[in-house]
Amino acid sequence: MQFHQLAYFVAVADTRHFTRAAELMRVAQPSLSQQVRALERDVGAELFHRIRGNLSLTEAGETLLPYARRVLADTESAYQAVRELDELGRGRVRLGATPSLCTGLLPSMLAGFRAAYPGIELTLHESGSRDLQTDLSEGALDLALIVDSRLRDRTRLATQPLLIEELVVISAKDRPAPIRRGRLRIADLQDKPLVMFRRGYDLRDATINACRAEGFEPVFAIQGGEMDAVLEFVRAGMGIAVVPSTVVRDRFRVTRFAEPGLSRVVRLAGRQDVEPSKAVRALRDAVTAHLADAVLPQGTRSLLGHAEPR
């Protein structure tokens, strides 16, 4: 099994076409096909179903693909680290984050990093915590900001708790509050129309599970949105939503939950089996430095230097 064979295999898997994969890799199509065949002989199994007009991965191909991606990504990271030995004026960091963190904490955090290191190429991937962990394990990301998820790949991933975010209920300013006075109980959400995130959102699971723990199923005014869409639907008066306090602006009415309330822990995740490059270490340090000095919303607090809540 050779490095270029894995690269050709991944290119074919991504394009589902040998000719387009050859164009992508800038190699003759017969040569690429020959190398993929050689890889199949090495692993002892066919990697593609070759049906006229329809190319798909076999079970063996599906199994090999994440490992091949990881090898290619780790090799690129090694080259990148060597190129950065002279100075930190250049480099690349691939950062993943959940949509709520992209809306709330990340803009000011990354603005400071960009000002300090303008030569570092910064790529952002927005997704749910579970998908971000998969991308980290496969080497597609260098760091990720995730929430509350148990580690799915403890042999490769490690996390550092950053802060505990309070979850609050937001409603349109020109509509009545969910309750007349005081703090909201989870039970008060019963029969209230909720603007709900799409499936796979950590906030969706947290809200639904909290309602079910109180013995009822939540009612949805609309569901399936990303963070920006949910905020706009609430502002339009379609319903209320449970969101992190860090995404709230003064355009909403905010109602806090009664103690113990709802909260979630934000963690910085990375690979522990790969030595991070200077650029990755610089971003990691910038994230922790920003949160150590940031003015956080009421009910949200930094966990840096403190024990993680049980």
Side-chain angles (χ1 to χ4, degrees):
M1 186 182 300
Q2 300 180 30
F3 179 82
H4 69 279
Q5 292 174 341
L6 292 178
Y8 294 166
F9 162 65
V10 171
V12 175
D14 287 341
T15 61
R16 292 296 196 270
H17 200 280
F18 276 91
T19 300
R20 285 197 290 270
E23 293 172 352
L24 180 66
M25 300 304 296
R26 298 180 179 179
V27 65
Q29 189 268 330
S31 177
L32 181 140
S33 298
Q34 183 181 25
Q35 290 301 316
V36 172
R37 284 292 191 188
L39 178 60
E40 290 177 319
R41 289 195 297 271
D42 286 342
V43 299
E46 288 194 352
L47 301 174
F48 295 100
H49 293 297
R50 294 168 173 83
I51 304 173
R52 182 177 296 274
N54 183 17
L55 187 71
S56 61
L57 286 165
T58 63
E59 184 177 358
E62 294 281 4
T63 300
L64 178 62
L65 185 58
Y67 291 99
R69 291 193 193 281
R70 189 179 302 152
V71 169
L72 297 177
D74 288 351
T75 302
E76 174 59 26
S77 295
Y79 283 130
Q80 186 74 22
V82 171
R83 288 194 293 265
E84 293 172 3
L85 287 177
D86 293 336
E87 56 181 339
L88 196 54
R90 53 196 170 92
R92 181 192 67 173
V93 183
R94 301 161 300 170
L95 175 67
T98 63
S100 60
L101 294 173
C102 289
T103 301
L105 289 170
L106 217 52
S108 59
M109 186 185 299
L110 294 186
F113 177 78
R114 178 66 180 169
Y117 303 103
I120 293 179
E121 176 187 346
L122 190 59
T123 303
L124 179 64
H125 177 63
E126 187 175 347
S127 189
S129 293
R130 289 184 290 273
D131 290 340
L132 292 176
Q133 289 191 46
T134 299
D135 291 338
L136 273 173
S137 293
E138 293 182 355
L141 293 175
D142 301 304
L143 292 172
L145 289 163
I146 63 174
V147 293
D148 280 344
S149 297
R150 294 181 178 179
L151 285 181
R152 304 173 68 190
D153 190 352
R154 292 183 178 275
T155 60
R156 288 187 175 86
L157 303 183
T159 66
Q160 176 185 6
L162 297 177
L163 73 156
I164 182 167
E165 269 189 312
E166 181 183 23
L167 302 184
V168 297
V169 173
I170 58 171
S171 52
K173 279 194 167 184
D174 59 353
R175 300 298 173 93
I179 56 172
R180 291 191 176 185
R181 64 178 63 87
R183 293 197 178 194
L184 190 77
R185 298 171 301 139
I186 301 297
D188 294 326
L189 293 178
Q190 189 168 9
D191 299 326
K192 297 286 193 306
L194 292 175
V195 178
M196 184 53 66
F197 301 93
R198 64 167 171 80
R199 297 184 185 277
Y201 248 63
D202 303 277
L203 285 167
R204 178 190 178 97
D205 295 339
T207 303
I208 293 176
N209 291 339
C211 293
R212 287 175 177 170
E214 292 294 320
F216 68 93
E217 289 291 325
V219 175
F220 300 146
I222 186 172
Q223 59 174 319
E226 301 284 347
M227 174 59 70
D228 289 343
V230 166
L231 296 177
E232 289 304 314
F233 289 147
V234 171
R235 191 166 67 156
M238 293 184 64
I240 63 176
V242 178
V243 300
S245 59
T246 49
V247 307
V248 176
R249 305 291 185 265
D250 57 7
R251 54 183 174 165
F252 297 106
R253 185 191 304 275
V254 178
T255 305
R256 299 178 70 190
F257 282 107
E259 295 294 340
L262 290 179
S263 63
R264 64 183 195 170
V265 175
V266 177
R267 297 179 173 89
L268 182 62
R271 292 274 296 271
Q272 60 180 349
D273 62 335
V274 174
E275 182 66 25
S277 68
K278 286 186 177 182
V280 172
R281 292 198 300 270
L283 179 58
R284 185 182 60 195
D285 293 343
V287 168
T288 55
H290 176 86
L291 290 179
D293 298 331
V295 178
L296 299 173
Q298 185 179 14
T300 295
R301 60 185 176 86
S302 172
L303 292 175
L304 296 172
H306 302 280
E308 185 175 352
R310 294 183 179 276

